């Protein structure tokens, strides 16, 4: 380049000029807001490590959903806290389960028509042991790993859960369990009940991450023993993330979700360059919590940091973002 003829600052001089040449944009419609729905009435219990995020009973969740719609958000991602948990996670496919009930109620409310209702599909919120599938003794185990989450039997239950959520009105089902073969099994289960039109958004590359810590309080889903490294991915592996994506596409995934977001922006970029499917990223609970911890201390400017964090995820290649900041960001963008 030939300074002084070339002066890059010319295009930065005014907001109008910056706006004209801006490469990446955030819109409320590309943001998805997670909700944690619990039994009861009038319940609005704040998650201690996630200021502004609550366990909500259905009546309160309805208000929250209406706010999300009025802000122009793209959709909701629904998680459920069942009244009771068991070894198999029966609540995940109960026709009157907490998320199924919420979906049915949301579908009746015309004010929510603009919101895509996405149901997270996993067992960890519903199992007494907090794992994402069925747990069995591992006959080949070495010290410390006496139990493993069984893949194929878990997949059968997850497919049942996906079908039940679609039947209750989910616009999209989003498997977050990381079992092998679950996308194909869910496609079969959805088609078998006449839901050929329900898309599957697979959490294709989901890393075993410390950044899920606050979520496990929100969803009451911390594993009671062991951890999730036997099924979620090793944070060191980018090539393996690409294999996960290829596999989910081959099994029939309609869209792909990457998770976490900010510590894995390189993986999002690589995914974007590899596949043509709509691609989302999940800015997870720990990413939200750490930013809030800094906001509370006055160490970061809240509004700017929220938008900059989301812009970085869009710039890395995500079409849409699941974020606990969705409402805040929509207000700032509005
Ligand atoms: C369930 C699930 C988790 C998250 C989304 N779905 C937790 C986990 O895998 O432990 C994490 C989301 C977040 O941290 O915000 N399998």
């Amino acid at each position: 380049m030939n300074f002084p003829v070339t002066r890059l600052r010319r295009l930065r001089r005014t907001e109008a000029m910056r706006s004209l040449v801006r490469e990446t944009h955030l819109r409320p419609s590309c943001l998805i807001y997670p909700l944690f729905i619990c039994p009861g009435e009038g319940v609005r219990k704040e998650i201690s490590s996630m200021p502004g995020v609550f366990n909500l009973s259905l009546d309160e969740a309805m208000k929250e959903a209406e706010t999300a719609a009025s802000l122009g958000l793209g959709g909701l991602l629904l998680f459920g806290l069942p009244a009771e948990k068991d070894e198999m996670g029966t609540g995940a496919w109960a026709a009157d389960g907490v998320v199924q009930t919420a979906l049915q109620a949301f579908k009746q409310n015309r004010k929510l028509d603009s919101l895509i209702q996405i149901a997270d599909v996993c067992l960890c919120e519903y199992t007494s042991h907090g794992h994402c599938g069925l747990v069995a003794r591992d006959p080949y185990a070495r010290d410390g790993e006496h139990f493993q989450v069984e893949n194929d039997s878990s997949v059968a239950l997850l497919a049942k859960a996906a079908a039940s959520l679609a039947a209750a009105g989910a616009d999209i089902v989003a498997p977050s369990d990381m079992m092998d073969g679950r996308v194909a099994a869910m496609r079969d289960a959805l088609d078998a009940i006449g839901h050929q039109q329900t898309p599957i958004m697979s959490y294709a590359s989901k890393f075993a991450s410390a950044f899920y810590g606050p979520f496990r309080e929100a969803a009451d889903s911390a594993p009671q023993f062991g951890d999730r490294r036997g099924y979620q991915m090793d944070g060191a592996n980018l090539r393996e993330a690409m294999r996960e994506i290829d596999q989910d596409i081959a099994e029939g995934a309609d869209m792909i979700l990457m998770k976490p977001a900010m510590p894995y922006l390189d993986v999002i970029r690589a995914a974007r360059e590899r596949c043509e499917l709509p691609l989302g990223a999940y800015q997870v609970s720990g990413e939200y919590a750490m930013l809030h911890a800094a906001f509370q201390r006055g160490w970061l400017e809240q509004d700017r940091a929220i938008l900059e964090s989301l812009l970085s995820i869009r710039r890395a290649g995500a079409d849409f973002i699941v974020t606990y900041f969705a409402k805040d960001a929509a207000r700032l963008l509005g």
Side-chain angles (χ1 to χ4, degrees), residues 256-272:
I256 296 292
L257 196 61
M258 314 291 293
K259 170 182 181 188
M262 286 156 64
Y264 295 88
L265 292 175
D266 57 324
V267 188
I268 297 173
R269 168 50 47 193
R272 171 76 293 158

Side-chain angles (χ1 to χ4, degrees), residues 7-13:
R7 289 180 183 270
L8 292 166
R9 288 183 54 189
R10 280 187 201 120
L11 302 183
R12 293 178 204 149
R13 211 161 50 85

